[in-house]
Amino acid sequence: MNNKLILEKNNLSFFLLCFLPAALVIGPLPAEIIINTLSLFFLYDVFKKKKFDFLKNFFFIYVFVYFTYLVIISISSEIFIKIAPNVLFYFRFILFSFAISEVLKKNEKYLKYVFFSLSLTIFIVVIDGYIQFVFDENIIGYPKYRPDRISGFFNDDLIIGSYLFRLLPLMIGLTFVFRDKFKYFSYINTLIILITILLVLLSGERASFVLLLLSLTIIFIQVDLSKYIKIFLIFTILGAVTIVVTFNPVISDRHITQFKNHLFAKNTKEFMPNYLPMFKTAFNMFEKKKLVGFAPKSFRYYCSDKRFVSYSSGPGVEINNKLIKIKTSWKETRNLVVDKILVEVGDIIQKDSKLFSYHFTEDSKIHNYLSGKEGIIKSINIQQKYLRDDKFAKIKPLHSPDKIIYKNNSCNTHPHNTYIQLLAETGIIGFLFVFSIFCYLIVIFLKNIINLTFSNKNKLSNIEVCILAGFFAVLWPITTSGNFFNNWLNIINYYPLGFYLYFHDKKKL
């Protein structure tokens, strides 16, 4: 490869690294393309220049062993074909982190541009979020689908809080790195950081907000910053949060009232009624295969299995068999257009009878909506083109009772807690791989706090503290969480790791 091609490859790698935070907003596919390209470039350089030093890196060895373990338990799983792509290509995430470190090592000037692009991306996402919060619609027309939640550029994916919470510690760390070199920009960035923290609160993502406060607490305790500035920032953040929660009833309801209802059901006082059944199902799976689990991303395939399924201990949901309701997600309903009603009053319908034809606004393909009940149609409610009511028709049941009590099982894509998911899907061994990292972070921070207390020496740089604080919050066990093996989450989680590897290696020089 000649010098021109090397320069073009390096410039492309740099551009992709700068663009990644924006790609994560656009969607998983652009982000996947970027991390795969960077990983391939990294592997090409490794074999071209025979630079295999990274193989001796402890973290690389640790993750490689973990990856090997995941592959072994997946191969022996009866659902291997279904999960193979996710498992076999999981290793690309660690290559992606080392690729970031290598890009930054090639030209240290790249770092400031990455910093600017990250700050600009977060600023645009945050301002757009505020616009949607105030005007119920963001700058490209995405509506606010719930009064207590905002999504911004993420449209119908309510993950803007998760996105900001995971990237903000890195942004704070880079602000420390460049605070002397770009003094005025650092002041601007501090303001962006403050309004970002508030937007995570306004997003309605309770777990993301709590975890962000956790990471900020660790950062404030350990970074090299004037105590007066720390006090000012703490009171500014707490004051802004208190004012919003006190004077905005929607936000107050989301973060306080709804949180209480999630902990304890209104009528039954059942503890965590939305999550406990999933936890129970996961533990039932764990009991069956304690050591190695059922394989990554297997919860969705086994959660309805009679051996593991669990139900809420509440009174259940009353099913009215005299009424046909249209069951579509809120994402589908807003784009669903009814073309033709296919039944009339007096018709006898069976389960799977065609009720009406429809299409989605972005797709002209015609679909048929099938009945889930049987009976004689007494009246039809829906006549309009767009669905405004989910009650399609009243019927007289033929063989079914008028009402039955139904309890939803706990099936989902994942059990909504990282460590419970790991126990069910990867067993004790897989759980210990990840939990050990969390424990290691605790040891690192305790040692650093002891040094700060007794010798006033910080063994960790500010950027290291910030990035590790972000990892600590992501691995915090007492919270609900996303799917541990979700590609988008892995990309955004491994992204700061590349910067940590770069600064950690740089400190050794």
Side-chain angles (χ1 to χ4, degrees):
M1 184 180 286
N2 59 41
N3 291 335
K4 184 178 179 181
L5 289 176
I6 292 174
L7 182 61
E8 289 177 352
K9 180 174 70 66
N10 290 343
N11 288 338
L12 177 59
S13 297
F14 160 65
F15 170 77
L16 293 176
L17 184 56
C18 289
F19 183 66
L20 183 62
L24 285 164
V25 178
I26 297 171
L29 181 59
E32 283 278 3
I33 293 172
I34 288 176
I35 73 162
N36 291 337
T37 303
L38 289 173
S39 298
L40 288 173
F41 283 169
F42 173 70
L43 287 176
Y44 180 87
D45 285 344
V46 165
F47 286 99
K48 177 78 174 179
K49 301 175 183 177
K50 294 182 171 52
K51 294 175 60 178
F52 298 102
D53 291 346
F54 76 100
L55 296 175
K56 301 176 184 178
N57 183 284
F58 174 78
F59 189 80
F60 178 86
I61 296 171
Y62 193 85
V63 176
F64 181 78
V65 173
Y66 181 60
F67 164 73
T68 305
Y69 169 74
L70 295 180
V71 171
I72 291 171
I73 63 173
S74 298
I75 290 175
S76 61
S77 170
E78 59 187 17
I79 60 168
F80 176 65
I81 298 300
K82 297 177 181 178
I83 62 175
N86 296 97
V87 176
L88 296 179
F89 293 101
Y90 182 83
F91 194 61
R92 70 192 187 280
F93 297 119
I94 185 62
L95 290 177
F96 162 61
S97 294
F98 279 89
I100 292 174
S101 178
E102 195 62 28
V103 170
L104 297 176
K105 287 177 183 177
K106 286 177 180 177
N107 191 336
E108 291 193 354
K109 292 181 181 179
Y110 287 161
L111 185 63
K112 67 179 180 182
Y113 297 110
V114 174
F115 170 52
F116 293 149
S117 65
L118 175 63
S119 300
L120 179 62
T121 302
I122 289 179
F123 175 72
I124 293 172
V125 170
V126 169
I127 293 301
D128 180 73
Y130 277 105
I131 290 172
Q132 189 183 63
F133 177 78
V134 175
F135 300 104
D136 294 333
E137 193 175 273
N138 83 331
I139 59 176
I140 58 176
Y142 290 155
K144 183 165 64 173
Y145 296 111
R146 283 177 49 171
D148 58 349
R149 303 291 298 272
I150 59 175
S151 60
F153 290 118
F154 294 96
N155 194 10
D156 49 19
D157 290 321
L158 303 175
I159 56 173
I160 187 173
S162 178
Y163 172 85
L164 295 171
F165 138 65
R166 294 168 195 277
L167 290 183
L168 195 61
L170 174 62
M171 179 179 169
I172 295 172
L174 291 174
T175 302
F176 277 114
V177 172
F178 292 105
R179 64 176 170 177
D180 295 327
K181 192 171 184 180
F182 304 109
K183 202 168 190 178
Y184 293 107
F185 186 77
S186 296
Y187 294 148
I188 295 172
N189 243 30
T190 302
L191 178 60
I192 295 173
I193 291 165
L194 291 173
I195 64 174
T196 301
I197 295 168
L198 187 60
L199 187 74
V200 176
L201 172 74
L202 299 178
S203 74
E205 295 178 52
R206 294 187 298 263
S208 293
F209 181 66
V210 171
L211 293 176
L212 178 59
L213 291 183
L214 176 63
S215 62
L216 290 174
T217 301
I218 295 171
I219 290 170
F220 279 139
I221 290 173
Q222 299 185 68
V223 294
D224 178 21
L225 194 64
S226 165
K227 66 178 180 180
Y228 298 108
I229 295 177
K230 287 182 180 180
I231 292 171
F232 170 77
L233 292 174
I234 290 171
F235 275 97
T236 299
I237 294 169
L238 293 179
V241 169
T242 302
I243 290 171
V244 169
V245 172
T246 302
F247 294 102
N248 190 311
V250 175
I251 299 301
S252 175
D253 177 75
R254 175 63 186 168
H255 285 274
I256 299 176
T257 307
Q258 290 185 40
F259 176 67
K260 290 178 181 178
N261 293 337
H262 273 96
L263 283 182
F264 299 97
K266 277 185 178 180
N267 300 324
T268 64
K269 299 300 179 182
E270 180 188 3
F271 181 65
M272 296 186 72
N274 295 323
Y275 297 102
L276 201 58
M278 287 187 288
F279 296 167
K280 289 179 180 178
T281 297
F283 276 116
N284 290 341
M285 291 173 60
F286 167 67
E287 287 289 332
K288 185 68 175 178
K289 289 188 176 183
K290 292 183 179 179
L291 194 62
V292 297
F294 282 83
K297 302 194 84 167
S298 61
F299 183 83
R300 69 187 70 192
Y301 299 107
Y302 290 99
C303 56
S304 59
D305 191 309
K306 292 181 180 179
R307 296 174 296 170
F308 314 121
V309 68
S310 61
Y311 300 89
S312 170
S313 60
V317 179
E318 184 181 89
I319 303 298
N320 184 356
N321 283 327
K322 296 190 295 183
L323 186 67
I324 293 180
K325 287 189 174 184
I326 299 171
K327 294 181 179 179
T328 57
S329 69
W330 63 273
K331 295 181 183 180
E332 293 177 322
T333 300
R334 70 180 190 277
N335 293 320
L336 191 152
V337 180
V338 177
D339 293 307
K340 185 178 180 181
I341 305 295
L342 302 176
V343 292
E344 297 179 350
V345 173
D347 285 352
I348 297 176
I349 59 171
Q350 305 293 336
K351 290 183 179 180
D352 296 329
S353 292
K354 297 176 182 178
L355 299 181
F356 60 88
S357 60
Y358 65 95
H359 71 274
F360 294 107
T361 53
E362 71 275 9
D363 182 10
S364 59
K365 184 179 178 181
I366 302 297
H367 307 270
N368 290 313
Y369 191 89
L370 306 181
S371 173
K373 300 176 182 178
E374 44 80 22
I376 301 173
I377 294 184
K378 307 299 289 183
S379 66
I380 297 176
N381 181 54
I382 291 180
Q383 303 291 342
Q384 63 269 33
K385 185 177 181 181
Y386 292 95
L387 297 181
R388 294 295 180 267
D389 193 337
D390 64 349
K391 299 177 181 64
F392 175 76
K394 291 181 180 179
I395 64 173
K396 179 182 178 181
L398 291 176
H399 308 294
S400 305
D402 288 351
K403 295 180 180 180
I404 58 174
I405 302 299
Y406 175 78
K407 290 188 177 183
N408 287 316
N409 68 30
S410 56
C411 219
N412 209 306
T413 56
H414 61 288
H416 287 73
N417 177 275
T418 293
Y419 295 103
I420 293 176
Q421 179 184 0
L422 290 172
L423 285 172
E425 296 184 347
T426 66
I428 293 174
I429 296 175
F431 165 85
L432 289 176
F433 264 107
V434 178
F435 189 65
S436 295
I437 297 175
F438 178 72
C439 294
Y440 179 66
L441 290 173
I442 293 176
V443 172
I444 289 177
F445 287 139
L446 287 177
K447 284 184 176 180
N448 200 49
I449 291 171
I450 291 171
N451 284 327
L452 284 170
T453 303
F454 294 102
S455 61
N456 202 28
K457 290 182 180 179
N458 198 337
K459 286 194 172 183
L460 297 173
S461 63
N462 286 334
I463 181 72
E464 288 177 312
V465 168
C466 292
I467 294 175
L468 293 179
F471 292 150
F472 183 85
V474 167
L475 294 175
W476 180 254
I478 312 173
T479 183
T480 55
S481 61
N483 190 335
F484 184 79
F485 296 104
N486 176 271
N487 288 346
W488 186 87
L489 285 177
N490 273 294
I491 293 171
I492 200 170
N493 288 336
Y494 275 89
Y495 176 67
L497 176 61
F499 292 85
Y500 178 79
L501 292 171
Y502 167 73
F503 283 103
H504 187 67
D505 290 344
K506 185 178 178 182
K507 192 166 68 172
K508 291 178 180 178
L509 298 177

